[in-house]
Amino acid sequence: MKINDELNLTMLCDFYELTMGNGYWNCGYGDKICYFDMFYRRVPDAGGYAIAAGLEQLVDYIRQLRFEEHDIDYLRSRGIFSESFLDYLRSFRFTGDIWAVPEGTPVFPGEPIVTVRAPAVEAQLIETYLLLTINHQSLIATKASRICRAADGRAVLEFGSRRAQGIAGAVVGARAAYIGGCAGTACTLSDEMYGVTAGGTMAHSWVQMFPTEYEAFETYCRTYPTNATLLVDTYNSLKSGVPNAIKAFNNVLKPLGITKCGIRFDSGDMAYLTRRAREMLDEAGWTECKITCSNALDEHLIEELIHQDAKIDVFGVGERLITARSEPVFGGVYKLAAVEEPDGTIIPKIKISENVEKITIPHFKKTYRLYGRGSGKAMADYICLHDETVDDSGSMEIFDPESTWKRTTLSDFEAKELQVPVFLGGELVYELPTLEEIKRRCAEQLDTLWDEVKRFDNPHGYYVDLSPKLWDIRDGLLRSGGGGCA
């Protein structure tokens, strides 16, 4: 089951994709082969890396691309599209090639996450949805990764559905959070659709519904004896909540021989409350009782709570995760990198701007990640022309990412291409991994990054360099104003 099973998303595009498509078609450029790169310019939250996510939803979208007759009727009603273009749309299918970085991979500014080679109309049409899904899920996966690292091995649950921006924000947001390291979600639909384990306990309304707090706890323990986590802050956390929870555990769970249980705080001074609660639980013999905390948490609050010796086993994180509240825009862009002549010659294209970070890297490219043979750590990423290869039997020089003159020499490394073919000639050639495989890849690939790159404050700049050939082509286009190499 997919989120867009019953909804044709082909028309989920910026209107100018269609007006440009019409223009390309009418001037004879509709079938002109071009190359586009999707990349991002700046890591959210001033972090050291981002996590690529959303490729599976892009694949679903590409496979379902089609215009229905009512779509054609709508476009005709606008009075600006030629009949020949509308007739072309009736049989529209994606016929191009797509390469992408597998989901769960750490990625860095400037390097292609998705590369598209396709006829101009096709390449333009998919821009909006491609950016929508990769930007959104990469943003949430990146935020989840930060939060889970702050938790330092403690479980993090995604609790954000009620704060998400819309249905897809909740459902695929939970999927992305799982990729980034969350142990589960409160979103039932995300579990049904994608297998992100859903769970939950009770709201304050459950406790308020019963004549007494104890009766609420006792009833819940009898109903769910093997999964009893009780919300203890409805009235007074330490004077009634924790004591009533212990009483319910003693009266219901202990006779059954059950020692697995939990309590949850959703308000108050969580460092103080959890330390006291831990003491009370341990004194009562409930040493295996887990303590969960929720309520507007993020990586910085979690890090501070742990620093204050809070006794928290599980964090429930909602709005600040599912909306990436601290920086809710990923900022990925989709830019033309090259066009292909009928004879196969590839002509590089560049976008030039007075804003240096908006200058693009031209040409049909590929990216290598260079790993130290002894350490297994990622040392640098190397962007080169599509027909170049990296010789990892020797050494090579790369530029410092924050300098145009400082160089670093790398040796004893192994080079691996980052992108994999996903579509070739319009046919899916990539076997989509399971969500568990993606989550595992994310954890494994994060382990290849040095801690200095992963720290929250002033992370070390990761090296992303261009090959000399690519550097010269870009420099030539800049010198000529973009019209051709000098």
Side-chain angles (χ1 to χ4, degrees):
M1 180 179 181
K2 304 298 181 184
I3 198 168
N4 54 353
D5 267 350
E6 299 179 0
L7 182 63
N8 177 14
L9 298 177
T10 303
M11 295 286 278
L12 202 171
C13 65
D14 291 297
F15 194 69
Y16 76 0
E17 312 292 8
L18 292 162
T19 56
M20 285 192 293
N22 182 66
Y24 289 145
W25 183 260
N26 292 330
C27 75
Y29 272 37
D31 292 328
K32 190 174 186 65
I33 299 298
C34 55
Y35 297 79
F36 280 83
D37 291 328
M38 184 270 168
F39 59 94
Y40 76 103
R41 296 186 175 114
R42 185 172 58 84
V43 181
D45 292 310
Y49 68 92
I51 299 295
L55 178 59
E56 181 178 320
Q57 285 63 47
L58 176 61
V59 168
D60 295 339
Y61 164 78
I62 295 292
R63 296 178 76 183
Q64 296 183 53
L65 274 176
R66 68 191 185 282
F67 287 88
E68 306 288 0
E69 198 58 37
H70 62 83
D71 299 324
I72 305 296
D73 292 341
Y74 158 74
L75 294 174
R76 180 180 291 108
S77 73
R78 295 301 302 267
I80 60 174
F81 298 101
S82 70
E83 282 299 321
S84 63
F85 178 65
L86 296 177
D87 188 57
Y88 155 74
L89 294 183
R90 283 191 174 87
S91 58
F92 181 90
R93 294 292 185 273
F94 183 79
T95 65
D97 308 325
I98 294 179
W99 297 264
V101 174
E103 292 189 89
T105 305
V107 287
F108 299 92
E111 59 191 25
I113 299 173
V114 180
T115 296
V116 175
R117 175 190 179 274
V121 177
E122 298 177 25
Q124 289 283 183
L125 183 71
I126 68 173
E127 174 181 7
T128 304
Y129 192 87
L130 186 156
L131 288 173
L132 183 158
T133 187
I134 302 296
N135 275 337
H136 173 240
Q137 291 198 56
S138 297
L139 176 72
I140 303 305
T142 302
K143 188 65 171 178
S145 175
R146 290 171 60 87
I147 290 170
C148 292
R149 287 195 301 107
D152 195 25
R154 299 161 181 84
V156 175
L157 303 177
E158 185 280 310
F159 279 4
S161 295
R162 62 191 61 189
R163 298 286 194 269
Q165 283 99 342
I167 297 169
V171 178
V172 297
R175 177 187 185 273
Y178 192 71
I179 290 171
C182 287
T185 180
C187 181
T188 309
L189 184 55
S190 195
D191 190 356
E192 182 182 24
M193 293 177 64
Y194 298 114
V196 181
T197 304
T201 57
M202 62 176 65
H204 294 105
S205 57
W206 172 275
V207 181
Q208 294 170 295
M209 194 72 71
F210 291 81
T212 67
E213 185 177 52
Y214 172 73
E215 288 177 80
F217 289 170
E218 181 189 43
T219 303
Y220 198 87
C221 285
R222 293 193 186 283
T223 306
Y224 303 105
T226 61
N227 189 31
T229 297
L230 308 177
L231 184 59
V232 297
D233 69 341
T234 303
Y235 302 120
N236 188 302
S237 298
L238 298 181
K239 288 185 178 181
S240 67
V242 176
N244 278 326
I246 291 172
K247 183 179 178 182
F249 295 154
N250 285 336
N251 292 342
V252 180
L253 302 187
K254 185 177 285 185
L256 298 173
I258 295 173
T259 59
K260 179 184 176 183
C261 57
I263 63 172
R264 178 165 71 95
F265 292 96
D266 193 49
S267 61
D269 184 338
M270 293 184 186
Y272 169 73
L273 291 174
T274 58
R275 287 197 300 267
R276 286 288 297 120
R278 184 75 272 161
E279 292 173 358
M280 296 165 70
L281 290 164
D282 290 350
E283 287 173 4
W286 292 97
T287 56
E288 295 183 44
C289 180
K290 302 295 185 183
I291 299 177
T292 299
C293 284
S294 53
N295 186 31
L297 298 172
D298 62 15
E299 65 268 41
H300 301 293
L301 288 171
I302 290 173
E303 195 173 49
E304 186 61 27
L305 284 168
I306 292 174
H307 177 71
Q308 294 175 22
D309 196 30
K311 303 302 182 183
I312 303 173
D313 302 293
V314 181
F315 293 95
V317 186
E319 62 186 52
R320 298 189 182 188
L321 167 55
I322 204 65
T323 66
R325 180 178 174 180
S326 56
E327 190 160 343
V329 177
F330 189 68
V333 295
Y334 185 76
K335 298 298 180 184
L336 180 67
V339 296
E340 186 175 311
E341 295 298 313
D343 64 0
T345 301
I346 299 174
I347 309 298
K349 297 288 182 177
I350 191 171
K351 178 187 181 299
I352 299 176
S353 172
E354 292 182 0
N355 186 342
V356 175
E357 75 170 6
K358 290 194 172 186
I359 298 174
T360 60
I361 303 173
H363 225 298
F364 179 27
K365 304 174 289 293
K366 61 183 174 184
T367 306
Y368 286 93
R369 182 153 293 167
L370 312 180
Y371 297 90
R373 291 189 188 277
S375 66
K377 296 294 187 181
M379 305 165 69
D381 286 359
Y382 187 75
I383 307 174
C384 58
L385 298 177
H386 68 101
D387 56 359
E388 289 188 88
T389 57
V390 171
D391 180 5
D392 55 12
S393 62
S395 62
M396 64 187 299
E397 277 192 328
I398 61 171
F399 281 110
D400 186 304
E402 298 176 358
S403 169
T404 58
W405 55 270
K406 187 187 295 185
R407 292 175 177 264
T408 296
T409 300
L410 299 183
S411 58
D412 196 23
F413 64 88
E414 180 182 8
K416 296 181 180 179
E417 285 191 47
L418 272 189
Q419 291 184 317
V420 297
V422 180
F423 286 91
L424 294 177
E427 297 296 323
L428 180 65
V429 297
Y430 178 60
E431 184 176 347
L432 291 169
T434 66
L435 191 59
E436 291 298 330
E437 290 171 335
I438 297 170
K439 181 183 177 74
R440 185 163 57 251
R441 176 183 178 81
C442 184
E444 292 170 351
Q445 289 300 305
L446 277 175
D447 281 346
T448 70
L449 301 184
W450 294 101
D451 289 342
E452 291 84 352
V453 175
K454 295 184 285 187
R455 67 187 176 217
F456 296 149
D457 297 322
N458 300 313
H460 178 75
Y462 183 83
Y463 293 97
V464 177
D465 195 18
L466 308 185
S467 73
K469 286 184 179 179
L470 184 55
W471 178 276
D472 288 342
I473 290 171
R474 186 173 188 250
D475 184 60
L477 288 172
L478 288 172
R479 292 178 183 277
S480 66
C485 294

